[in-house]
Amino acid sequence: MITCSEATKRLWEYLDATLGAADRAALEEHLASCRRCCGELEFAEELRRFLAASGRAEIPDDVLRRLNLTLEELEP
């Protein structure tokens, strides 16, 4: 099974449906047993919905700054 670090690195590819079958299966296996990563997935899904509904021009600067900090923390 993959680690939490590997899982969070693959979440956006998972949401974009760009993972290969083996990677997708490994991530889904991890998500089935990891509450923390399920929370990360829920956050990513909600963030994606928010961004799609809002458009970049409407995102307040402080929210965009916090978003960028969060994304930087997720990078390897």
Side-chain angles (χ1 to χ4, degrees):
M1 183 160 36
I2 63 174
T3 65
C4 290
S5 177
E6 293 168 321
T8 56
K9 288 177 190 174
R10 295 179 181 168
L11 284 180
W12 291 103
E13 292 174 288
Y14 179 76
L15 291 174
D16 290 338
T18 59
L19 280 179
D23 287 336
R24 182 175 189 81
L27 180 60
E28 288 175 346
E29 178 184 6
H30 181 84
L31 291 171
S33 63
C34 182
R35 295 186 89 187
R36 178 179 167 257
C37 289
C38 282
E40 294 287 338
L41 177 61
E42 288 174 8
F43 171 79
E45 290 170 328
E46 185 62 31
L47 177 60
R48 174 179 268 200
R49 281 191 290 274
F50 172 78
L51 293 174
S54 298
R56 182 181 166 100
E58 297 178 25
I59 300 174
D61 288 339
D62 62 319
V63 173
L64 188 57
R65 196 170 18 263
R66 288 190 312 243
L67 171 60
N68 285 327
L69 287 172
T70 301
L71 292 174
E72 287 172 8
E73 289 174 6
L74 294 175
E75 290 181 1

